[in-house]
Amino acid sequence: WDLTAYPPAIDGKQPDPRHIEVKGRVKGASTVTVTRNEMLYAFNQGDKFVLAIVLVDQDDSFDGPHYIRNPFHSEPGWGVASINYNLAELLARARLA
């Protein structure tokens, strides 16, 4: 993952950190590529893992980040190096924070 975020303490207890994988894509792109290792980290980290997608325009303006919890439904098959996901479908499950 790209960064670790530590949520604020609740009633004196520190929640689990979030492991965030950030994917930047140009506005208008139709897919986003996720590597096998990124997917395996997601499954191993469970609820701690968050996929963040940022859409960047040619003038360096951006939209996001869009956060997606539990972004993948199944582990990649044997020998798969990466998978292209439909960006619109991922973003439909996202929320802005």
Side-chain angles (χ1 to χ4, degrees):
W1 60 87
D2 292 310
L3 60 102
T4 301
Y6 296 92
I10 299 171
D11 296 326
K13 184 177 182 216
Q14 181 66 47
D16 287 335
R18 301 288 181 240
H19 300 151
I20 303 171
E21 177 65 36
V22 180
K23 294 290 183 180
R25 294 296 292 144
V26 65
K27 282 188 179 179
S30 60
T31 62
V32 62
T33 302
V34 180
T35 69
R36 174 184 178 81
N37 282 344
E38 292 165 344
M39 292 180 71
L40 293 177
Y41 278 130
F43 283 105
N44 288 334
Q45 295 300 313
D47 288 338
K48 293 183 198 177
F49 184 88
V50 179
L51 179 64
I53 297 175
V54 179
L55 303 174
V56 181
D57 215 340
Q58 290 182 6
D59 63 0
D60 289 334
S61 63
F62 62 92
D63 178 18
H66 301 269
Y67 295 103
I68 306 161
R69 293 281 185 96
N70 302 308
F72 314 118
H73 297 294
S74 62
E75 292 185 19
W78 180 255
V80 172
S82 63
I83 296 177
N84 286 334
Y85 282 90
N86 181 298
L87 189 54
E89 288 180 18
L90 280 176
L91 291 174
R93 297 177 39 218
R95 63 182 182 98
L96 284 171

